[in-house]
Amino acid sequence: EAGVAQSPRYKIIEKRQSVAFWCNPISGHATLYWYQQILGQGPKLLIQFQNNGVVDDSQLPKDRFSAERLKGVDSTLKIQPAKLEDSAVYLCASSFRATADEQFFGPGTRLTVL
Amino acid sequence: AQSVTQLDSQVPVFEEAPVELRCNYSSSVSVYLFWYVQYPNQGLQLLLKYLSGSTLVKGINGFEAEFNKSQTSFHLRKPSVHISDTAEYFCAVAEGIYNQGGKLIFGQGTELSVKP
């Protein structure tokens, strides 16, 4: 089966610009996650969707970050405006259910903010 | 609040030697524990997980881990490592299955470097 797809793989922008990342989860997976992984740290959950509803966005900086999951399938994560500290790898993951099921991760998008 | 501590940031080891990557967690509820591996420029891949039952869990690529409730630990072990095991390893804890869980709390990672 196809894995979790993400694009772009790399993005370089200047601070105060906006950027968007796209994720296509594994077919049939109800739950989708966006993680931020700063260099030298473990991934940190930004937002969790169950179908197209938000389950947990407690660690999403809502003044600059937004995310949506249209029709309960694909998802986009946007940053506007970007700050230097947003430089990180943004990982998308999906799982069959919103339980302790295995989460399958995409390759990530590496964002560099100059 | 749940948290995960990986006690070693880097572990160098020679090929065919045994290795142990240490992980401690804190949680006030039932825990579900995971080890993920991340190869360079790739996403995370599940190595093994503990949900319930036997405290010794076997995973892919010859790795195993032991859940120790009294010591709140979930250390990862492999009796003989290969060059291809060089990667970053993450320990994670998930919220209980009976709530809206699925949220993973990750440790900061351990870089395993296998030398010939």
Side-chain angles (χ1 to χ4, degrees):
Chain A
E1 70 182 358
V4 176
Q6 291 188 248
S7 67
R9 291 294 311 277
Y10 305 92
K11 190 74 176 179
I12 301 173
I13 62 172
E14 295 188 351
K15 60 183 179 183
R16 291 187 289 274
Q17 286 187 323
S18 63
V19 64
F21 312 128
W22 174 81
C23 172
N24 180 240
I26 292 173
S27 177
H29 280 194
T31 309
L32 185 146
Y33 313 80
W34 282 102
Y35 290 88
Q36 179 192 57
Q37 185 178 17
I38 293 173
L39 185 65
Q41 299 181 21
K44 180 185 80 172
L45 180 71
L46 291 176
I47 189 168
Q48 176 184 345
F49 291 94
Q50 172 74 4
N51 295 312
N52 59 352
V54 176
V55 173
D56 185 341
D57 63 356
S58 58
Q59 298 193 90
L60 186 74
K62 299 180 185 64
D63 57 334
R64 298 184 301 104
F65 285 65
S66 65
E68 61 180 5
R69 189 181 184 195
L70 300 176
K71 300 180 181 179
V73 183
D74 293 4
S75 177
T76 56
L77 176 69
K78 297 179 182 178
I79 308 174
Q80 182 179 12
K83 293 185 175 181
L84 296 177
E85 58 262 36
D86 298 332
S87 293
V89 175
Y90 292 85
L91 296 165
C92 179
S94 69
S95 65
F96 184 59
R97 300 169 297 180
T99 63
D101 278 354
E102 176 179 354
Q103 294 185 22
F104 292 84
F105 285 79
T109 296
R110 182 177 298 276
L111 173 67
T112 302
V113 182
L114 303 175
Chain B
Q2 292 168 314
S3 67
V4 176
T5 302
Q6 292 184 241
L7 299 167
D8 307 290
S9 59
Q10 293 181 320
V11 173
V13 64
F14 287 106
E15 192 174 19
E16 298 183 5
V19 70
E20 178 180 81
L21 306 184
R22 297 180 294 167
C23 172
N24 285 95
Y25 67 92
S26 66
S27 173
S28 58
V29 298
S30 297
V31 293
Y32 301 86
L33 295 159
F34 303 77
W35 275 99
Y36 279 83
V37 60
Q38 186 175 32
Y39 299 103
N41 298 315
Q42 296 185 28
L44 281 71
Q45 178 184 3
L46 182 67
L47 273 178
L48 48 80
K49 61 184 176 183
Y50 171 78
L51 302 183
S52 64
S54 173
T55 57
L56 183 62
V57 180
K58 293 190 183 297
I60 61 172
N61 300 339
F63 284 93
E64 64 181 31
E66 186 159 17
F67 170 59
N68 189 318
K69 187 174 182 179
S70 62
Q71 297 186 5
T72 61
S73 68
F74 191 55
H75 300 334
L76 180 71
R77 301 186 183 101
K78 186 170 182 178
S80 177
V81 294
H82 302 289
I83 297 287
S84 59
D85 292 323
T86 295
E88 188 92 19
Y89 291 79
F90 292 95
C91 181
V93 61
E95 294 177 355
I97 200 168
Y98 294 109
N99 60 16
Q100 286 187 327
K103 176 178 178 177
L104 291 177
I105 309 297
F106 285 90
Q108 69 271 39
T110 297
E111 182 182 343
L112 175 64
S113 176
V114 182
K115 304 177 186 305

